[in-house]
Amino acid sequence: MPRKNGYFILPDQASAVPFRRFGERVEFCLITTSAGRWGFPKGHIDPGETPEQTALKEALEEAGLHGRIVGSPLVGYRADKNGQSKRVVALLMEVTRCDDQWDEAAVRQRRWVSRSEAQDLLNRDSLQTCLAVARERIPDAQAPDAQATGEQKLESY
C-alpha cells in the first residue's frame, strides 16, 4: 500500500479473486454479498493474520473454495459500507478444490462464470478492475516467494 509518513498503510480487509482453468479456458468464482450483489469473497483481516491468510479463509467460509494465492496483490481499493470506508487488498487465488457444502452456503450463492459473464455481473468499478488485472496475470501466475512477508508483498502495488 502507499506509504504515509514512512509507514505502510495496511489494508483492513482482504479479498480473494478465485479462478480455475480448463485448458485454455478460465472461469472465475463469484458469490453474492449480503446485499445480493455479485462479488468476490472478502473479509476483515484479524490481528496476527496476513492478507493472504484472510483471503484464503474468506474464500473457504463464503464459497467453499480451497487453493493458493498466486503472485503479488492485484489491486488495492476502498470499499464503503454503512458509512465506513475500508482499505481492501485483492489477491489472485487459484482454486484446487471446491466443496459441495460450506459455512455460508445458506446465505450466499456461488457461481462459476467466464470472464465476459463476470464483467456483466460485477457492477462496481473496483471489482471490474480486480477482474481485468487478474485476467492479465493468469497466464503467468506463479506462487509467491515463500520467504516474502505480507508487508513486502503489499509494497508491489
Side-chain angles (χ1 to χ4, degrees):
M1 297 288 290
R3 293 177 188 241
K4 183 175 184 178
N5 299 328
Y7 295 97
F8 286 102
I9 301 171
L10 295 176
D12 303 300
Q13 297 184 320
S15 174
V17 178
F19 76 97
R20 64 183 178 187
R21 302 176 206 230
F22 294 101
E24 296 286 316
R25 193 177 72 185
V26 174
E27 291 182 331
F28 292 92
C29 185
L30 304 181
I31 60 166
T32 52
T33 65
S34 56
R37 297 184 298 186
W38 289 102
F40 298 114
K42 172 176 62 96
H44 291 279
I45 300 171
D46 292 328
E49 203 171 58
T50 67
E52 293 81 4
Q53 290 168 326
T54 298
L56 292 171
K57 176 183 77 175
E58 295 299 327
L60 181 60
E61 291 174 0
E62 295 183 356
L65 304 176
H66 300 264
R68 65 187 183 103
I69 300 299
V70 291
S72 60
L74 296 171
V75 297
Y77 64 93
R78 288 200 174 272
D80 298 318
K81 185 176 180 181
N82 300 328
Q84 294 185 342
S85 182
K86 302 290 183 184
R87 295 176 305 261
V88 181
V89 60
L91 301 154
L92 188 59
M93 176 188 179
E94 185 168 20
V95 175
T96 57
R97 194 173 91 226
C98 189
D99 294 339
D100 291 333
Q101 295 295 319
W102 63 95
D103 290 354
E104 297 184 20
V107 294
R108 295 186 189 277
Q109 294 177 48
R110 174 182 71 193
R111 187 168 171 188
W112 285 99
V113 297
S114 67
R115 179 185 178 186
S116 63
E117 290 172 298
Q119 285 175 314
D120 291 342
L121 292 171
L122 297 171
N123 62 3
R124 286 163 282 175
D125 290 342
S126 57
L127 299 181
Q128 289 285 343
T129 301
C130 290
L131 180 66
V133 175
R135 192 59 192 104
E136 289 173 9
R137 290 217 194 146
I138 287 173
D140 299 322
Q142 299 293 320
D145 182 350
Q147 295 181 9
T149 66
E151 273 191 7
Q152 289 170 326
K153 291 178 194 165
L154 293 176
E155 252 182 330
S156 62
Y157 78 100

XYZ file of all heavy atoms in Angstrom, residues 3-104:
802
model
N 2.720 4.622 1.176
C 3.289 4.949 2.474
C 2.708 6.248 2.992
O 2.421 7.167 2.245
C 4.799 5.088 2.356
C 5.484 3.795 2.038
C 6.971 4.039 1.871
N 7.621 2.858 1.391
C 8.571 2.231 2.064
N 8.979 2.676 3.212
N 9.114 1.152 1.573
N 2.541 6.324 4.293
C 2.106 7.550 4.947
C 3.117 7.839 6.046
O 3.288 7.023 6.953
C 0.709 7.384 5.532
C 0.183 8.656 6.162
C -1.245 8.471 6.607
C -1.779 9.780 7.143
N -3.167 9.662 7.545
N 3.823 8.940 5.943
C 4.847 9.294 6.924
C 5.901 8.202 7.076
O 6.367 7.924 8.164
C 4.214 9.612 8.281
C 3.274 10.777 8.192
O 3.479 11.688 7.394
N 2.226 10.757 8.994
N 6.224 7.528 5.976
C 7.254 6.498 6.012
C 6.765 5.122 6.431
O 7.536 4.174 6.478
N 5.476 4.959 6.758
C 4.939 3.680 7.184
C 3.978 3.140 6.129
O 3.292 3.900 5.453
C 4.179 3.824 8.507
C 5.071 4.211 9.649
C 5.185 5.537 10.036
C 5.805 3.250 10.330
C 6.014 5.906 11.081
C 6.640 3.610 11.373
C 6.746 4.931 11.748
O 7.567 5.291 12.772
N 3.902 1.813 6.035
C 2.942 1.208 5.127
C 1.542 1.405 5.674
O 1.319 1.325 6.879
C 3.185 -0.298 4.984
C 4.374 -0.623 4.151
C 5.563 -0.998 4.743
C 4.311 -0.543 2.773
C 6.666 -1.293 3.976
C 5.413 -0.826 1.994
C 6.592 -1.206 2.601
N 0.598 1.657 4.801
C -0.805 1.702 5.182
C -1.351 0.310 4.889
O -1.526 -0.068 3.738
C -1.575 2.771 4.382
C -0.952 4.135 4.609
C -3.041 2.756 4.771
C -1.485 5.209 3.703
N -1.571 -0.456 5.936
C -2.022 -1.834 5.765
C -3.528 -1.878 5.507
O -4.276 -1.041 6.006
C -1.665 -2.656 6.998
C -0.165 -2.813 7.243
C 0.076 -3.570 8.538
C 0.513 -3.503 6.079
N -3.960 -2.864 4.754
C -5.391 -2.976 4.454
C -6.183 -3.425 5.679
O -5.655 -4.059 6.590
C -5.431 -4.035 3.357
C -4.199 -4.831 3.545
C -3.173 -3.896 4.097
N -7.481 -3.097 5.678
C -8.410 -3.545 6.711
C -9.017 -4.898 6.335
O -9.388 -5.679 7.205
C -9.569 -2.542 6.850
C -9.090 -1.142 7.167
O -8.430 -0.967 8.210
O -9.378 -0.232 6.364
N -9.150 -5.128 5.023
C -9.793 -6.336 4.520
C -8.967 -6.933 3.388
O -8.183 -6.235 2.741
C -11.197 -6.031 3.995
C -12.144 -5.525 5.056
C -13.541 -5.329 4.500
O -13.726 -4.861 3.377
N -14.537 -5.695 5.287
N -9.189 -8.233 3.154
C -8.552 -8.916 2.033
C -9.638 -9.644 1.236
O -10.602 -10.156 1.804
C -7.500 -9.906 2.519
N -9.440 -9.671 -0.059
C -10.385 -10.318 -0.961
C -9.641 -11.332 -1.822
O -8.535 -11.065 -2.280
C -11.046 -9.270 -1.855
O -11.861 -9.884 -2.827
N -10.270 -12.466 -2.042
C -9.751 -13.460 -2.982
C -10.467 -13.265 -4.312
O -11.677 -13.043 -4.348
C -9.997 -14.872 -2.469
N -9.707 -13.340 -5.404
C -10.287 -13.343 -6.750
C -10.037 -14.755 -7.276
O -8.991 -15.053 -7.851
C -9.639 -12.269 -7.650
C -10.217 -12.329 -9.057
C -9.840 -10.877 -7.043
N -10.996 -15.667 -7.019
C -10.787 -17.089 -7.320
C -10.981 -17.410 -8.794
O -11.908 -16.917 -9.441
C -11.852 -17.802 -6.483
C -12.570 -16.751 -5.707
C -12.233 -15.436 -6.310
N -10.080 -18.263 -9.297
C -10.194 -18.723 -10.678
C -9.793 -20.183 -10.769
O -9.129 -20.728 -9.897
C -9.332 -17.870 -11.619
C -7.855 -18.187 -11.549
C -7.273 -19.050 -12.475
C -7.053 -17.636 -10.563
C -5.909 -19.344 -12.418
C -5.699 -17.920 -10.493
C -5.127 -18.782 -11.422
N -10.223 -20.816 -11.848
C -9.782 -22.175 -12.183
C -9.608 -22.245 -13.684
O -10.189 -21.454 -14.428
C -10.770 -23.221 -11.668
C -12.142 -23.153 -12.303
C -13.080 -24.171 -11.689
N -14.416 -24.080 -12.276
C -15.459 -24.751 -11.855
N -15.344 -25.567 -10.824
N -16.630 -24.624 -12.457
N -8.804 -23.202 -14.111
C -8.504 -23.365 -15.541
C -9.044 -24.687 -16.059
O -9.037 -25.681 -15.364
C -6.994 -23.372 -15.766
C -6.261 -22.183 -15.312
C -4.781 -22.432 -15.533
N -3.984 -21.663 -14.613
C -2.977 -20.904 -14.965
N -2.624 -20.831 -16.218
N -2.298 -20.249 -14.076
N -9.445 -24.656 -17.304
C -9.798 -25.838 -18.078
C -9.076 -25.703 -19.398
O -9.622 -25.156 -20.356
C -11.313 -25.939 -18.301
C -12.105 -26.161 -17.060
C -12.775 -25.120 -16.456
C -12.163 -27.423 -16.479
C -13.504 -25.317 -15.310
C -12.896 -27.639 -15.327
C -13.565 -26.579 -14.742
N -7.823 -26.122 -19.438
C -7.011 -25.917 -20.632
C -6.826 -24.439 -20.860
O -6.310 -23.724 -20.019
N -7.286 -23.934 -21.988
C -7.174 -22.515 -22.317
C -8.272 -21.674 -21.671
O -8.163 -20.464 -21.570
C -7.244 -22.325 -23.848
C -6.090 -22.963 -24.594
C -4.805 -22.180 -24.418
O -4.846 -20.939 -24.505
O -3.770 -22.819 -24.183
N -9.348 -22.324 -21.247
C -10.496 -21.609 -20.675
C -10.266 -21.313 -19.197
O -9.769 -22.144 -18.450
C -11.752 -22.457 -20.836
C -13.022 -21.695 -20.574
C -14.215 -22.551 -20.819
N -14.277 -23.532 -19.719
C -15.146 -24.516 -19.647
N -16.001 -24.706 -20.623
N -15.170 -25.342 -18.636
N -10.645 -20.124 -18.765
C -10.537 -19.700 -17.372
C -11.922 -19.305 -16.879
O -12.670 -18.631 -17.581
C -9.569 -18.500 -17.229
C -9.571 -17.957 -15.816
C -8.161 -18.899 -17.643
N -12.264 -19.748 -15.661
C -13.515 -19.360 -15.033
C -13.210 -18.676 -13.706
O -12.235 -19.009 -13.029
C -14.390 -20.579 -14.751
C -14.941 -21.236 -15.983
C -15.844 -22.405 -15.638
O -15.655 -23.046 -14.585
O -16.746 -22.678 -16.439
N -14.072 -17.733 -13.336
C -13.962 -17.020 -12.068
C -15.142 -17.399 -11.196
O -16.243 -17.632 -11.695
C -13.967 -15.507 -12.303
C -12.736 -15.026 -13.001
C -12.700 -14.936 -14.389
C -11.597 -14.684 -12.283
C -11.564 -14.504 -15.041
C -10.454 -14.259 -12.928
C -10.435 -14.170 -14.307
N -14.909 -17.434 -9.886
C -15.978 -17.747 -8.949
C -16.476 -16.457 -8.320
O -15.705 -15.693 -7.732
C -15.483 -18.698 -7.863
S -16.819 -19.226 -6.767
N -17.769 -16.214 -8.463
C -18.418 -15.065 -7.845
C -19.362 -15.566 -6.757
O -19.885 -16.680 -6.846
C -19.221 -14.269 -8.870
C -18.487 -13.755 -10.098
C -19.440 -12.961 -10.987
C -17.283 -12.926 -9.710
N -19.575 -14.721 -5.754
C -20.534 -15.028 -4.703
C -21.441 -13.823 -4.518
O -21.094 -12.712 -4.903
C -19.839 -15.367 -3.361
C -19.002 -14.188 -2.886
C -19.021 -16.641 -3.484
C -18.553 -14.283 -1.441
N -22.589 -14.063 -3.906
C -23.467 -12.943 -3.600
C -23.053 -12.324 -2.267
O -22.626 -13.019 -1.350
C -24.947 -13.360 -3.532
O -25.087 -14.469 -2.645
C -25.472 -13.713 -4.909
N -23.185 -11.006 -2.196
C -22.900 -10.270 -0.967
C -24.154 -10.274 -0.097
O -25.217 -10.752 -0.525
C -22.516 -8.817 -1.286
O -23.656 -8.161 -1.852
C -21.336 -8.740 -2.237
N -24.043 -9.687 1.095
C -25.214 -9.593 1.964
C -26.316 -8.735 1.326
O -27.490 -8.894 1.645
C -24.817 -9.026 3.324
O -24.183 -7.776 3.170
N -25.917 -7.855 0.401
C -26.889 -7.014 -0.306
C -27.434 -7.691 -1.574
O -28.239 -7.107 -2.290
C -26.257 -5.674 -0.673
N -26.955 -8.903 -1.868
C -27.447 -9.633 -3.032
C -26.724 -9.340 -4.330
O -27.115 -9.825 -5.389
N -25.658 -8.521 -4.274
C -24.872 -8.229 -5.487
C -23.779 -9.280 -5.642
O -23.358 -9.909 -4.681
C -24.240 -6.839 -5.382
C -25.264 -5.739 -5.295
C -24.644 -4.383 -5.292
N -23.773 -4.210 -4.124
C -23.186 -3.085 -3.797
N -23.331 -2.012 -4.532
N -22.430 -3.009 -2.722
N -23.302 -9.433 -6.867
C -22.211 -10.375 -7.126
C -20.869 -9.730 -6.802
O -20.657 -8.554 -7.084
C -22.246 -10.840 -8.580
C -23.404 -11.744 -8.863
C -24.570 -11.406 -9.489
C -23.525 -13.105 -8.484
N -25.401 -12.485 -9.529
C -24.792 -13.556 -8.926
C -22.702 -14.014 -7.824
C -25.247 -14.859 -8.727
C -23.153 -15.315 -7.624
C -24.409 -15.725 -8.075
N -19.982 -10.515 -6.229
C -18.651 -10.035 -5.885
C -17.709 -11.193 -5.632
O -18.000 -12.342 -5.998
N -16.592 -10.888 -5.008
C -15.584 -11.884 -4.653
C -15.564 -12.051 -3.137
O -15.923 -11.113 -2.407
C -14.199 -11.431 -5.130
C -14.074 -11.279 -6.613
C -13.870 -10.025 -7.185
C -14.156 -12.376 -7.462
C -13.744 -9.873 -8.553
C -14.037 -12.237 -8.837
C -13.828 -10.979 -9.390
N -15.128 -13.208 -2.629
C -15.017 -13.387 -1.176
C -14.106 -12.315 -0.570
O -13.055 -12.000 -1.120
C -14.395 -14.781 -1.032
C -14.736 -15.490 -2.307
C -14.741 -14.418 -3.359
N -14.532 -11.775 0.597
C -13.780 -10.680 1.219
C -14.115 -10.644 2.695
O -15.244 -10.935 3.093
C -14.168 -9.365 0.554
C -13.627 -8.108 1.191
C -14.002 -6.866 0.381
C -15.472 -6.636 0.278
N -16.043 -5.710 1.228
N -13.126 -10.264 3.510
C -13.399 -10.132 4.933
C -12.308 -9.371 5.656
O -11.250 -9.067 5.087
N -12.583 -9.073 6.921
C -11.648 -8.323 7.766
C -10.410 -9.150 8.086
O -10.506 -10.353 8.327
C -12.330 -7.906 9.066
C -13.387 -6.877 8.861
N -13.097 -5.546 8.722
C -14.727 -6.992 8.735
C -14.216 -4.881 8.531
N -15.224 -5.728 8.526
N -9.274 -8.487 8.095
C -8.010 -9.129 8.467
C -7.928 -9.107 9.990
O -7.896 -8.032 10.600
C -6.805 -8.401 7.840
C -6.925 -8.412 6.316
C -5.497 -9.030 8.299
C -5.914 -7.545 5.593
N -7.926 -10.273 10.607
C -7.834 -10.376 12.058
C -6.408 -10.112 12.515
O -5.447 -10.342 11.755
C -8.270 -11.775 12.515
C -9.755 -12.025 12.304
O -10.542 -11.054 12.401
O -10.126 -13.185 12.053
N -6.240 -9.641 13.749
C -4.886 -9.408 14.278
C -4.031 -10.677 14.179
O -4.501 -11.778 14.481
C -5.143 -9.037 15.744
C -6.535 -8.494 15.760
C -7.281 -9.276 14.707
N -2.804 -10.499 13.712
C -1.884 -11.622 13.559
C -2.057 -12.406 12.271
O -1.319 -13.349 12.004
N -3.026 -12.037 11.451
C -3.311 -12.733 10.206
C -2.765 -11.910 9.041
O -2.829 -10.684 9.056
C -4.834 -12.865 10.078
C -5.321 -13.966 9.200
C -6.831 -14.146 9.329
O -7.579 -13.190 9.075
O -7.241 -15.253 9.688
N -2.236 -12.570 8.032
C -1.768 -11.873 6.837
C -2.949 -11.696 5.872
O -3.949 -12.424 5.966
C -0.664 -12.665 6.112
O -1.234 -13.880 5.588
C 0.515 -12.975 7.043
N -2.832 -10.764 4.942
C -3.885 -10.641 3.927
C -4.090 -11.953 3.152
O -5.231 -12.313 2.833
C -3.376 -9.522 3.013
C -2.524 -8.692 3.908
C -1.843 -9.683 4.825
N -3.014 -12.666 2.888
C -3.121 -13.939 2.158
C -3.932 -14.954 2.957
O -4.795 -15.648 2.404
C -1.722 -14.491 1.841
C -0.940 -13.656 0.851
C -0.246 -12.430 1.452
O -0.283 -12.223 2.684
O 0.351 -11.673 0.658
N -3.662 -15.058 4.255
C -4.406 -15.985 5.107
C -5.883 -15.613 5.147
O -6.756 -16.482 5.077
C -3.822 -15.994 6.524
C -2.463 -16.641 6.614
C -1.783 -16.385 7.961
O -1.946 -15.325 8.569
N -0.996 -17.351 8.415
N -6.157 -14.325 5.265
C -7.543 -13.862 5.302
C -8.265 -14.182 3.999
O -9.397 -14.669 4.010
C -7.611 -12.349 5.584
O -7.046 -12.101 6.868
C -9.043 -11.832 5.539
N -7.640 -13.912 2.871
C -8.274 -14.174 1.572
C -8.626 -15.654 1.428
O -9.735 -15.996 0.994
C -7.365 -13.719 0.438
N -7.703 -16.530 1.810
C -7.962 -17.972 1.721
C -9.071 -18.397 2.687
O -9.940 -19.209 2.342
C -6.685 -18.764 1.994
C -5.604 -18.639 0.929
C -4.304 -19.288 1.409
C -6.056 -19.250 -0.398
N -9.064 -17.848 3.890
C -10.086 -18.170 4.900
C -11.465 -17.726 4.426
O -12.436 -18.484 4.512
C -9.736 -17.489 6.226
C -10.787 -17.686 7.320
C -10.414 -16.932 8.579
C -10.709 -15.458 8.383
N -10.503 -14.648 9.580
N -11.555 -16.508 3.887
C -12.839 -15.993 3.420
C -13.357 -16.790 2.227
O -14.558 -17.041 2.119
C -12.744 -14.512 3.093
C -12.450 -13.629 4.298
C -13.506 -13.684 5.385
O -14.706 -13.864 5.063
O -13.140 -13.548 6.565
N -12.468 -17.188 1.336
C -12.883 -17.998 0.181
C -13.458 -19.332 0.639
O -14.443 -19.826 0.076
C -11.709 -18.208 -0.769
N -12.870 -19.913 1.679
C -13.371 -21.179 2.208
C -14.720 -20.986 2.907
O -15.673 -21.712 2.636
C -12.344 -21.793 3.169
C -12.726 -23.129 3.790
C -12.959 -24.186 2.707
C -11.651 -23.582 4.766
N -14.809 -19.984 3.782
C -16.047 -19.753 4.533
C -17.198 -19.312 3.640
O -18.329 -19.781 3.795
C -15.824 -18.676 5.603
C -14.922 -19.111 6.734
C -14.603 -17.981 7.701
O -15.081 -16.834 7.495
O -13.865 -18.234 8.670
N -16.933 -18.387 2.720
C -18.006 -17.783 1.921
C -18.343 -18.553 0.657
O -19.431 -18.378 0.114
C -17.635 -16.342 1.567
C -17.543 -15.446 2.784
C -17.241 -13.998 2.453
O -17.013 -13.675 1.266
O -17.230 -13.181 3.383
N -17.412 -19.391 0.182
C -17.666 -20.075 -1.096
C -17.235 -21.535 -1.127
O -17.415 -22.198 -2.144
C -16.965 -19.315 -2.227
N -16.636 -22.050 -0.067
C -16.211 -23.451 -0.047
C -15.049 -23.742 -0.967
O -14.920 -24.842 -1.491
N -14.164 -22.752 -1.158
C -13.056 -22.892 -2.093
C -11.736 -23.147 -1.367
O -11.443 -22.504 -0.363
C -12.916 -21.624 -2.941
C -14.160 -21.187 -3.712
C -13.900 -19.872 -4.416
C -14.617 -22.264 -4.674
N -10.953 -24.056 -1.919
C -9.609 -24.350 -1.430
C -8.641 -23.996 -2.548
O -8.956 -24.180 -3.724
C -9.454 -25.838 -1.118
C -10.408 -26.340 -0.083
N -10.070 -26.456 1.234
C -11.704 -26.749 -0.189
C -11.103 -26.926 1.911
N -12.114 -27.108 1.069
N -7.460 -23.524 -2.201
C -6.479 -23.211 -3.236
C -5.286 -22.489 -2.665
O -4.966 -22.625 -1.484
N -4.658 -21.693 -3.520
C -3.448 -20.980 -3.129
C -3.462 -19.591 -3.739
O -4.042 -19.366 -4.806
C -2.207 -21.744 -3.587
C -2.088 -21.825 -5.101
C -0.946 -22.739 -5.550
N -0.833 -22.719 -6.993
C 0.089 -22.055 -7.673
N 1.005 -21.368 -7.050
N 0.118 -22.088 -8.989
N -2.807 -18.672 -3.045
C -2.635 -17.320 -3.552
C -1.461 -17.345 -4.526
O -0.423 -17.950 -4.235
C -2.358 -16.317 -2.418
C -3.527 -16.292 -1.429
C -2.052 -14.927 -2.968
C -4.864 -15.859 -2.005
N -1.631 -16.719 -5.686
C -0.558 -16.682 -6.677
C -0.185 -15.241 -6.999
O -1.046 -14.374 -7.137
C -0.941 -17.444 -7.978
C -1.033 -18.935 -7.719
C -2.240 -16.949 -8.563
N 1.111 -15.015 -7.068
C 1.606 -13.698 -7.445
C 1.426 -12.652 -6.360
O 1.040 -12.937 -5.229
N 1.720 -11.440 -6.732
C 1.616 -10.301 -5.824
C 0.170 -9.793 -5.818
O -0.633 -10.185 -6.666
C 2.576 -9.204 -6.281
O 2.254 -8.798 -7.590
N -0.185 -8.907 -4.875
C -1.555 -8.374 -4.842
C -1.960 -7.770 -6.186
O -1.145 -7.175 -6.886
C -1.484 -7.300 -3.760
C -0.399 -7.775 -2.848
C 0.626 -8.394 -3.767
N -3.233 -7.948 -6.515
C -3.762 -7.412 -7.776
C -3.938 -5.907 -7.699
O -3.394 -5.174 -8.512
C -5.111 -8.058 -8.098
C -5.105 -9.552 -8.365
C -6.538 -10.067 -8.450
C -4.346 -9.859 -9.638
N -4.734 -5.470 -6.760
C -5.037 -4.043 -6.590
C -5.398 -3.784 -5.134
O -5.748 -4.694 -4.394
C -6.216 -3.568 -7.479
C -5.915 -3.701 -8.946
C -7.502 -4.280 -7.132
N -5.337 -2.524 -4.769
C -5.876 -2.062 -3.502
C -6.987 -1.078 -3.826
O -6.888 -0.310 -4.778
N -8.069 -1.114 -3.062
C -9.174 -0.191 -3.306
C -9.903 0.097 -1.998
O -9.666 -0.556 -0.991
C -10.134 -0.741 -4.370
C -10.864 -2.022 -3.998
C -12.117 -1.980 -3.401
C -10.308 -3.267 -4.279
C -12.796 -3.139 -3.084
C -10.980 -4.436 -3.961
C -12.223 -4.368 -3.358
O -12.892 -5.513 -3.028
N -10.786 1.062 -2.041
C -11.605 1.403 -0.878
C -13.017 0.859 -1.095
O -13.576 0.983 -2.187
C -11.671 2.911 -0.678
C -10.376 3.473 -0.166
C -10.608 4.832 0.479
N -9.384 5.316 1.091
C -9.008 5.038 2.333
N -9.748 4.293 3.091
N -7.882 5.523 2.820
N -13.565 0.293 -0.024
C -14.942 -0.195 -0.050
C -15.714 0.534 1.031
O -15.282 0.559 2.191
C -14.971 -1.700 0.183
N -16.822 1.135 0.661
C -17.656 1.861 1.618
C -18.909 1.060 1.913
O -19.603 0.606 0.999
C -18.051 3.229 1.055
C -16.840 4.108 0.809
O -15.947 4.116 1.678
O -16.782 4.766 -0.250
N -19.171 0.884 3.228
C -20.358 0.140 3.645
C -20.812 0.694 4.992
O -20.002 0.826 5.910
C -20.055 -1.347 3.754
C -21.256 -2.204 4.076
C -20.908 -3.663 4.074
C -22.133 -4.508 4.400
N -21.812 -5.935 4.434
N -22.083 0.988 5.100
C -22.662 1.503 6.342
C -21.917 2.731 6.863
O -21.670 2.860 8.056
C -22.687 0.404 7.415
C -23.497 -0.800 6.998
O -24.473 -0.675 6.272
N -23.073 -1.966 7.432
N -21.522 3.601 5.959
C -20.856 4.832 6.346
C -19.399 4.684 6.740
O -18.780 5.634 7.191
N -18.842 3.505 6.574
C -17.435 3.277 6.900
C -16.665 2.940 5.635
O -17.156 2.216 4.769
C -17.276 2.136 7.896
C -17.847 2.432 9.257
C -17.546 1.309 10.242
O -17.217 0.202 9.846
N -17.657 1.599 11.518
N -15.437 3.454 5.560
C -14.569 3.178 4.420
C -13.479 2.213 4.857
O -12.820 2.438 5.883
C -13.951 4.485 3.916
O -13.149 4.230 2.793
N -13.305 1.135 4.117
C -12.291 0.121 4.419
C -11.306 0.038 3.265
O -11.678 0.150 2.098
C -12.935 -1.258 4.616
C -13.964 -1.309 5.718
C -13.327 -1.176 7.062
C -14.376 -1.304 8.158
N -13.847 -1.091 9.464
N -10.032 -0.179 3.609
C -8.988 -0.421 2.606
C -8.946 -1.924 2.344
O -8.813 -2.721 3.275
C -7.639 0.065 3.118
C -7.580 1.572 3.318
C -6.253 2.002 3.917
N -5.944 1.300 5.155
C -6.146 1.791 6.379
N -6.645 2.989 6.536
N -5.829 1.086 7.446
N -9.058 -2.291 1.076
C -9.122 -3.705 0.682
C -7.959 -4.013 -0.247
O -7.654 -3.234 -1.151
C -10.456 -4.021 -0.045
C -10.530 -5.501 -0.419
C -11.649 -3.602 0.793
N -7.339 -5.161 -0.035
C -6.335 -5.665 -0.965
C -6.927 -6.913 -1.627
O -7.498 -7.769 -0.944
C -4.980 -5.972 -0.270
C -5.111 -7.027 0.811
C -3.928 -6.384 -1.296
N -6.844 -6.994 -2.945
C -7.371 -8.129 -3.697
C -6.216 -9.016 -4.126
O -5.206 -8.535 -4.661
C -8.148 -7.653 -4.916
N -6.375 -10.316 -3.900
C -5.332 -11.302 -4.196
C -5.872 -12.374 -5.135
O -7.007 -12.829 -4.985
C -4.856 -11.949 -2.891
C -4.298 -10.953 -1.872
C -4.432 -11.479 -0.461
C -2.859 -10.654 -2.201
N -5.056 -12.772 -6.073
C -5.434 -13.798 -7.038
C -5.329 -15.174 -6.387
O -4.318 -15.505 -5.778
C -4.512 -13.710 -8.255
C -4.861 -14.563 -9.459
C -6.244 -14.217 -9.998
C -3.812 -14.370 -10.548
N -6.378 -15.975 -6.502
C -6.426 -17.297 -5.881
C -6.713 -18.358 -6.932
O -7.756 -18.318 -7.588
C -7.510 -17.346 -4.810
C -7.678 -18.708 -4.185
S -9.131 -18.735 -3.111
C -9.078 -20.429 -2.559
N -5.797 -19.298 -7.066
C -6.033 -20.449 -7.947
C -6.732 -21.525 -7.133
O -6.216 -21.985 -6.112
C -4.732 -20.979 -8.528
C -4.978 -22.094 -9.521
C -3.738 -22.449 -10.323
O -2.619 -22.128 -9.879
O -3.900 -23.051 -11.400
N -7.918 -21.915 -7.561
C -8.736 -22.888 -6.840
C -8.318 -24.303 -7.236
O -8.215 -24.620 -8.417
C -10.228 -22.652 -7.114
C -11.090 -23.727 -6.464
C -10.635 -21.260 -6.638
N -8.085 -25.127 -6.212
C -7.704 -26.516 -6.437
C -8.827 -27.481 -6.078
O -8.849 -28.605 -6.555
C -6.452 -26.878 -5.619
O -6.710 -26.612 -4.231
C -5.246 -26.073 -6.082
N -9.755 -27.026 -5.240
C -10.874 -27.870 -4.829
C -12.043 -26.997 -4.425
O -11.870 -25.922 -3.874
C -10.447 -28.763 -3.660
C -11.431 -29.893 -3.393
C -10.915 -30.866 -2.348
N -11.382 -30.410 -1.044
C -10.633 -30.322 0.042
N -9.371 -30.639 0.010
N -11.154 -29.910 1.173
N -13.246 -27.508 -4.668
C -14.468 -26.752 -4.396
C -15.429 -27.671 -3.628
O -15.828 -28.715 -4.139
C -15.062 -26.335 -5.740
S -16.417 -25.198 -5.641
N -15.763 -27.297 -2.387
C -16.667 -28.104 -1.563
C -18.111 -27.973 -2.041
O -18.530 -26.908 -2.508
C -16.593 -27.659 -0.097
C -15.244 -27.934 0.540
O -14.500 -28.792 0.036
O -14.946 -27.278 1.569
N -18.885 -29.053 -1.866
C -20.310 -29.012 -2.187
C -21.089 -28.251 -1.113
O -22.100 -27.621 -1.404
C -20.874 -30.426 -2.320
C -20.340 -31.139 -3.548
O -19.985 -30.466 -4.536
O -20.272 -32.386 -3.521
N -20.632 -28.338 0.128
C -21.246 -27.629 1.253
C -20.177 -26.758 1.908
O -19.025 -27.154 1.992
C -21.796 -28.624 2.283
C -22.930 -29.477 1.748
C -24.157 -28.647 1.405
O -24.534 -27.728 2.123
N -24.791 -28.947 0.271
N -20.566 -25.563 2.372
C -19.618 -24.672 3.027
C -20.360 -23.849 4.073
O -21.591 -23.839 4.119
C -18.880 -23.808 2.009
C -19.728 -22.857 1.216
C -19.960 -21.543 1.514
C -20.479 -23.117 0.030
N -20.792 -20.971 0.572
C -21.127 -21.923 -0.345
C -20.675 -24.259 -0.763
C -21.950 -21.834 -1.465
C -21.496 -24.166 -1.881
C -22.114 -22.967 -2.220
N -19.595 -23.167 4.924
C -20.147 -22.449 6.077
C -21.307 -21.520 5.725
O -22.311 -21.501 6.420
C -19.059 -21.618 6.778
C -18.036 -22.476 7.499
O -18.214 -23.710 7.573
O -17.047 -21.896 7.985
N -21.176 -20.737 4.682
C -22.179 -19.715 4.373
C -23.058 -20.077 3.167
O -23.650 -19.200 2.545
C -21.483 -18.365 4.168
C -20.772 -17.896 5.432
C -20.157 -16.522 5.315
O -20.555 -15.737 4.426
O -19.272 -16.216 6.144
